[in-house]
Amino acid sequence: MASEETERAPLLSQPSDLDYRTNLPRFATRFGSTRYRPHAVSQNGTVAADLQAMEDDANIINEHRETYIEDPEATSAAKEYTRIQEDMLLNVKYKSLDYDPCENEIFLKEEAPKGFSHILKQQVARWGVMFLIGVLTGAVAGIIDIVIEELCSQKYMLIKIYIDRCVQVENDCLIVPLLLFCALNAAGVLIAACLVVFVSPCAAGSGIPQIKCYLNGVLIPEVVRIKTLIAKAVGVMFSVVGGLAVGKEGPMIHSGAVIAAGISQGKSATFNFDLGVLEYFRSDHEKRDFVSGGAAAGVAAAFGAPVGGVLFSLEEGASFWNQALTWRILFASMTATFTLNLILSAFHGVPWSLSYPGLISFGAFDQDHSLNYNGLEIPIFLLMGCFGGLTGGLFNHINYKLSIHRIRHIYRKRNKIMEALVVAIVTAASAYLLIYLSHDCESLGKDPTNHPVQMFCKDGEYNVAASLFLQTPEDSVRSLFHDITGTYQAFTLALFAIQYFLLATWTYGLQVPSGLFIPLLLTGAAWGRLVGIGLSNALNDYATWMPIYPGKYALIGAAAQLGGVVRMTISLTVILMEATGSVTFGLPIMLVLMCSKWVGDLFNEGIYDIHVQLAGVPFLNWEAPPSTYDVPARRVMSHPVVTLLEVEKVEKIQQVLSKYPHDGFPIVDNYIPDLDDSPTFGRFRGMILRSQLLVLLKSKSFSSNEQRAPQLSLRDFRESYPRYIPIEKIDIAEEDLQKTVDLGPYMNKGSYTVSDKASLPRIFKMFRGLGLRHVVVVDSDRKVVGMVTRSDLARYRVEFSKGKLHFIELQLSTNHPTDT
Amino acid sequence: MASEETERAPLLSQPSDLDYRTNLPRFATRFGSTRYRPHAVSQNGTVAADLQAMEDDANIINEHRETYIEDPEATSAAKEYTRIQEDMLLNVKYKSLDYDPCENEIFLKEEAPKGFSHILKQQVARWGVMFLIGVLTGAVAGIIDIVIEELCSQKYMLIKIYIDRCVQVENDCLIVPLLLFCALNAAGVLIAACLVVFVSPCAAGSGIPQIKCYLNGVLIPEVVRIKTLIAKAVGVMFSVVGGLAVGKEGPMIHSGAVIAAGISQGKSATFNFDLGVLEYFRSDHEKRDFVSGGAAAGVAAAFGAPVGGVLFSLEEGASFWNQALTWRILFASMTATFTLNLILSAFHGVPWSLSYPGLISFGAFDQDHSLNYNGLEIPIFLLMGCFGGLTGGLFNHINYKLSIHRIRHIYRKRNKIMEALVVAIVTAASAYLLIYLSHDCESLGKDPTNHPVQMFCKDGEYNVAASLFLQTPEDSVRSLFHDITGTYQAFTLALFAIQYFLLATWTYGLQVPSGLFIPLLLTGAAWGRLVGIGLSNALNDYATWMPIYPGKYALIGAAAQLGGVVRMTISLTVILMEATGSVTFGLPIMLVLMCSKWVGDLFNEGIYDIHVQLAGVPFLNWEAPPSTYDVPARRVMSHPVVTLLEVEKVEKIQQVLSKYPHDGFPIVDNYIPDLDDSPTFGRFRGMILRSQLLVLLKSKSFSSNEQRAPQLSLRDFRESYPRYIPIEKIDIAEEDLQKTVDLGPYMNKGSYTVSDKASLPRIFKMFRGLGLRHVVVVDSDRKVVGMVTRSDLARYRVEFSKGKLHFIELQLSTNHPTDT
């Protein structure tokens, strides 16, 4: 299929990130485990001879290399990877972001003389941008909420009218509202799926895994593009209106991140415009800071939890805590909460009352004192936490198997859309079935719901199951938390919980924007309330001193289910604390989250981590795997290393760039090949990035014998940003090939090096603590012996599964199952 | 005075932290700015000759060196420093903590084979210790609160009875309650001051600056000793009971930190016992993690703000955010809040109602809806923030001048105690005067206070000023927040605010444990309520649609005043948010804190920073001063460097340790002095710490020609911890002097190096990101050219004062004004 090829193309055309490692099994790539010849680079030889010598080296280690680099799909060797478990592969094609500024001569020359007034201006701009991020994120959240509210209201009203009419006039036309329900849902989901599949595939799912990766330092293509925002924001409206078991909260986090990236850069790749402002923020490092703020603002708007938002950003992103940055992030979060509050209050006709802090609020628990708890209840909470961990583990397992099935079989565009439609129709049909079969009736007076459906209930009563389905999931969560004791029958809740659990499992991973928080909260609230009802029946006769409020147990169940699936820790605790508005109830929530995480971790990882792993993203964990002090740098590093001299011929640079996909090249002294077989690649001078070389070639800043090249400015490197330009697209005239390029002023002299004896934990700490994308491994003479990149570290992983810790080493692959 | 000498001795006997820098003005210490001879160390010469050569080098650069190192007090040169502004000195005697593990051979050999079961055991122990920290911190907070509550109640009751009797029987004996008031206060303060002065001088003040420094990586002697805890906890009870303008919240943070340090180490230096458990936590790094948890638990217990506590620890301490650690910290905070809540609820006769989350709670605002705000009120809040910044700047300025006065003139023990007594008596007398002069009477029914004093009011009324003074400051804060409109007369509030402001300024810095939060909140609440009353009078007739609740303005004023003085940002916002229990009101609080900080920063720094500076602590800020990219490593580094060879004679080690106070020594290759005058000190191999050398000498692990020394284990280094042992105390037999010590297995091979061209921001980032205490500067051949230590970085500072940024470089001093 031609269209499938086009879809795959952007991924494959990217050069892989600093991949100095070859794709052979690990024993062959270990330093010293195979005897190999050092670079036989002749200083006086031709460029071709130089390259030939380098290549010979590489070939001794890895004869298969070329096949992977040149055409990964064509080789039969590639197919063998499908036999390896999909999450044991690391896709080396993901690029790292540069969180460490390149300190080259021109940087130092341009940065040093900048006065304090410039710094002040930059500071003011930082606050201004954060303010805008908060306002826009809040506004987008408000618009999404209002649109969903209105459309859903229309939809539910229509269905209610049809059901009521069919039941009342008893013409047995109940098939009509069913068809209507299915058709309305399918229509919504179709729009959402088309937006994702045709406009921005990156907008699928909750976006939290993508933002995690971005903040971690991995560039996921198109993740912060405006078209992704549009697909995400509009798509999530329609997937919620389409009645899927999805929430709109996760996508808000992604939306906030895109807004932040767009505003802070003052330009858009989607619309191809450039305001020409805020150039000083055009670095990966600055952009990351703003994206942290945007993600936090998204959480703040979604849950009315500004502090939870800050902690989310820190938990997922910060390797280096910065006080000033954190304060700005909190400011963005606060602004987003405030803006959303203002918009929703105004929309609901109570301007300035500021009673709508987030898209989902759990409502005020404190006033009826149902959130006080007795010490004897804590063991029950803990057991519920464990149950949440168990069901969460099950959820993740089913979803993992489903995801692998999707990777293998559902990769065509029309199949992806078909699957979404099937889920939409099944969701509607099963909901309708539950409503149809349910005989759980409540009197209308007791519990106000917006669209009470009478169905087969007596006059003055309404169908409780219908009230769960015929309102937005957020309203259903609140109903389960706050409806008075006795509203729900146990049987209805049990059926609902199982049904929604399965639907949510199936839905996550569809090609629609889909938040996971709300379906999980709803499932957990249902079984939590069930527990509350059970306890209430069992105990209230005996222990009148300990009244059981089912709503409180619904909250605990919701926390347990959510914690068991996503396994987030501190930020989730704070988000739930802020959403419930109770400091006192923070401890039970935290205990429940701890239990559910620990029990769930016995079986598998959190759902976001599973999806990150399935994508083969080289994600860096917080710390090195334990007990890896005996793994020295020379064991994890990639080599041989392609090095350049400070002054190189244009021809050689061009050929190196075409031949090697690496993202950076160490620059070394003019060195003589060692006679004693020591495998080094020259004494380290500095580091130059592929993107910098591309700018140099593109701007033709070549020196010939007659004249030296004009020196480029920092601006030239910031503006062109040629990360995606393939070297083939750069035209170099025949007569320029013999000219030279002076790399000296552009190489990063401050680039970090590490001794070849340094341990894995130490290198890990450097990467996380300093935000590095690579580090050069040198021997005691500062001669380059290898490079450690993000992929080299991400390959080592520990999994705590079935009560045991496993130390695993991932395979590297350029041909990854998720590509297909 | 002999006793003064003893007091000073511990400080002076410490070796200074890695002070490779000499104490000359900067131009002389700049690399290359003065021509100097390289180390003329003869490889075959005697130890004495070696040392002589090193010394010659040093003398060329710095002829004054000896005078400072040997006897800083005796020289006349030292006196010149008193002419330098006190906060422009950096005391090089503070030692750095080791937050980077020493990766030497024995570490790698012992750590690598540790299995996953050991890691699991350690993890469980970590959680258990954090739990204990939380429980004990909560318990200590509870005990302090109950004791203060009871003693204060007795005291106020006694005074009330005396006043009432005097007024009622009209025998004009009002001098009696005044004397009683003064005597009771003086007695309390005397106990507090004696505890501080005689037991633990480190327990003075709030302890927040000390904990800031500790978490930042500076070892303040005795800061986490149990005797400090006792002096602090008992002292703060009596300073509050003594009626000083102090709170008990700041000291709780310090108490939590001490508890954490004590429990995690399983031993006590004060009581000289050692449980022999948890040895694996006996490193600065692990201890720091637990102390972070303890400080957070302290904040959580003090303010009922577990999340605020976590953020406090992160804001003050974390250079490296770690998800797992943060979660444990939150657990400790939650446990502390829960424990305190449990204890106080039980004490107040409502067990399990859990309605006392913190020592200070602002009470529930939400229920009377007074915390809703109108958009038009925001400008007023901002103006109040600015006013808080102004008065905060004034507070800091006065307190700064007072502190300098104290450093210069009040350094004898009896004077310190006398000053505390004077303040206690003035506080009591002025309070009494205000009560006496006040004619602000309220009817008893309107506002319940525990000890209503009638004074000259009519029957059925009470004196409002007396109610402010005759209850604990916490209760007064709550009264100002919640008392109904019309309770206070403007004149009473104005007088009270001014009086309390001045008293608080005078009190902070006394030799008693004294929290600063409560007096500032009280001052701010007083003038904030004044603003509210003013607005209410001015507006309520015209704008009935915008009712003004003075209690809300009291809260804003309290935030503004506190923010203007302490200038904390994110943690303070969250602490106040949690203490008020309102997410909606977070934005105004944050805006007010921003304004007060920015306005205050125009004049001076936060009060804690001022005190840190006055102590000359080499405190590392978050980032390097801006615009310092043109400051390379070779300009900031210390040199010459005292280096050792891998195998050294005992005699040389002993002499080096006695002669140089440095805390660490690079180990270099056997090198030949360069002939080309290049000022290097051998090729870098690794780093060895003074404490390690001391252990080696003490354990006599010497090799002679006949036998090699037995290798020590990691445990030997952990257990002895000889940071304070002076080299003179270690006996070395005459015959051992010619033996050798093999330093190879003990040196840190993973020690970080940096190129001599690296910029200041880059080195700064390494220090903060990796938790370093020093970094070795090497040239392109990995030859040692210098060392950068914490002091070298802390010397460069930027101050934003009077609207302008100033770049300043501090003087280094071993003879610091705070020593006297």
Side-chain angles (χ1 to χ4, degrees), chain A residues 99-103 107-108 111-116 119-120 127 304-307 310-311 314-316 318-323 326-327 330-331 334-335 337-338 341 352-354 357 367 369 372-376 378 569-570 573-574 577-578 581 583-584 586-587 590-591 593-594 597-598 622-623 626-627 629-630 683 748-753 755 757-759 761-762 765-766 768-771 778-782 798 800 805-807, chain B residues 99-103 107-108 111-116 119-120 127 304-307 310-311 314-316 318-323 326-327 330-331 334-335 337-338 341 352-354 357 367 369 372-376 378 569-570 573-574 577-578 581 583-584 586-587 590-591 593-594 597-598 622-623 626-627 629-630 683 748-753 755 757-759 761-762 765-766 768-771 778-782 798 800 805-807:
Chain A
Y99 290 159
D100 189 53
C102 172
E103 283 195 359
F107 175 82
L108 296 180
E111 280 299 316
K114 278 184 181 161
F116 290 122
I119 288 154
L120 208 64
W127 282 95
V307 181
V310 173
L311 289 171
L314 292 171
E315 186 166 9
E316 300 307 343
S319 56
F320 185 73
W321 165 282
N322 181 311
Q323 190 186 26
T326 312
W327 209 30
L330 181 61
F331 180 64
M334 289 275 189
T335 314
T337 315
F338 182 77
N341 209 331
W352 293 109
S353 87
L354 300 178
Q367 280 166 345
H369 295 292
N372 288 339
Y373 59 97
N374 193 301
L376 297 177
I378 287 180
T569 55
I570 179 164
T573 312
V574 176
M577 263 175 77
E578 285 187 86
V583 173
T584 317
L587 186 79
M590 183 172 189
L591 290 175
L593 288 177
M594 276 163 66
K597 180 179 159 66
W598 285 340
W622 291 99
E623 282 173 333
S627 283
Y629 280 107
D630 56 345
R683 181 164 298 151
N748 185 357
K749 281 184 185 156
S751 191
Y752 292 98
T753 59
S755 146
K757 295 187 194 73
S759 67
R762 184 162 285 260
K765 196 174 149 198
M766 281 184 80
R768 292 289 325 209
L770 303 172
V778 295
D779 66 4
S780 59
D781 285 340
R782 276 184 87 75
V798 156
F800 189 74
L805 276 165
H806 298 275
F807 186 65
Chain B
Y99 291 158
D100 187 54
C102 172
E103 281 195 359
F107 174 83
L108 296 180
E111 281 299 317
K114 276 183 184 164
F116 290 123
I119 288 155
L120 208 63
W127 282 97
V307 182
V310 173
L311 289 172
L314 292 171
E315 186 168 10
E316 300 306 344
S319 55
F320 185 73
W321 164 281
N322 180 311
Q323 189 186 27
T326 312
W327 209 29
L330 181 60
F331 180 64
M334 289 275 191
T335 314
T337 314
F338 182 77
N341 209 331
W352 294 108
S353 86
L354 300 178
Q367 280 164 345
H369 295 291
N372 288 339
Y373 57 97
N374 193 300
L376 297 177
I378 288 182
T569 56
I570 178 163
T573 311
V574 176
M577 263 175 77
E578 285 187 86
V583 174
T584 317
L587 185 79
M590 183 173 188
L591 290 176
L593 288 177
M594 277 163 65
K597 180 179 158 66
W598 285 341
W622 292 99
E623 283 173 331
S627 284
Y629 281 107
D630 56 343
R683 181 165 296 152
N748 185 357
K749 281 183 187 157
S751 192
Y752 293 97
T753 58
S755 145
K757 293 185 195 71
S759 67
R762 183 161 286 258
K765 195 174 150 198
M766 282 184 79
R768 291 290 324 213
L770 303 171
V778 295
D779 66 5
S780 61
D781 285 340
R782 274 184 88 76
V798 156
F800 189 75
L805 276 164
H806 298 275
F807 186 66

Side-chain angles (χ1 to χ4, degrees), chain A residues 271-290:
Chain A
F271 295 127
N272 200 18
F273 75 83
D274 186 338
L275 293 177
V277 293
L278 307 175
E279 295 107 27
Y280 33 85
F281 294 149
R282 290 187 188 171
S283 68
D284 284 348
H285 176 77
E286 295 279 0
K287 196 171 170 185
R288 192 256 315 249
D289 286 356
F290 288 111

Side-chain angles (χ1 to χ4, degrees), chain A residues 451-471:
Chain A
H451 310 289
V453 172
Q454 191 176 345
M455 206 56 152
F456 304 128
C457 293
K458 283 177 285 189
D459 282 352
E461 291 191 342
Y462 70 96
N463 184 305
V464 173
S467 78
L468 284 174
F469 279 110
L470 292 183
Q471 61 186 353

Side-chain angles (χ1 to χ4, degrees), chain A residues 635-668:
Chain A
R635 218 179 110 192
V636 294
M637 72 189 185
S638 304
H639 63 109
V641 180
V642 180
T643 56
L644 295 172
L645 299 177
E646 207 170 322
V647 177
E648 279 285 7
K649 274 193 185 158
V650 174
E651 187 183 7
K652 173 151 178 207
I653 293 176
Q654 192 201 23
Q655 293 195 18
V656 161
L657 288 183
S658 341
K659 200 151 214 79
Y660 300 99
H662 310 340
D663 240 12
F665 303 90
I667 291 178
V668 296

Side-chain angles (χ1 to χ4, degrees), chain B residues 334-353:
Chain B
M334 289 275 191
T335 314
T337 314
F338 182 77
T339 309
L340 176 69
N341 209 331
L342 216 59
I343 292 175
L344 290 188
S345 300
F347 177 74
H348 289 101
V350 279
W352 294 108
S353 86

Side-chain angles (χ1 to χ4, degrees), chain B residues 80-129:
Chain B
E80 93 186 48
Y81 282 112
T82 55
R83 286 198 300 271
I84 302 175
Q85 208 186 338
E86 274 79 358
D87 64 347
M88 299 296 271
L89 291 176
L90 207 56
N91 192 337
V92 292
K93 289 179 309 186
Y94 284 108
K95 295 158 66 66
S96 288
L97 291 162
D98 259 330
Y99 291 158
D100 187 54
C102 172
E103 281 195 359
N104 55 23
E105 269 175 33
I106 55 168
F107 174 83
L108 296 180
K109 210 166 66 188
E110 290 187 32
E111 281 299 317
K114 276 183 184 164
F116 290 123
S117 71
H118 175 82
I119 288 155
L120 208 63
K121 191 178 128 198
Q122 227 170 316
Q123 280 296 344
V124 172
R126 281 206 179 93
W127 282 97
V129 169

Side-chain angles (χ1 to χ4, degrees), chain A residues 602-628:
Chain A
L602 294 180
F603 303 102
N604 42 39
E605 293 196 66
I607 188 82
Y608 299 134
D609 296 310
I610 288 176
H611 280 262
V612 166
Q613 278 176 35
L614 279 172
V617 174
F619 191 87
L620 277 196
N621 285 314
W622 291 99
E623 282 173 333
S627 283
T628 45

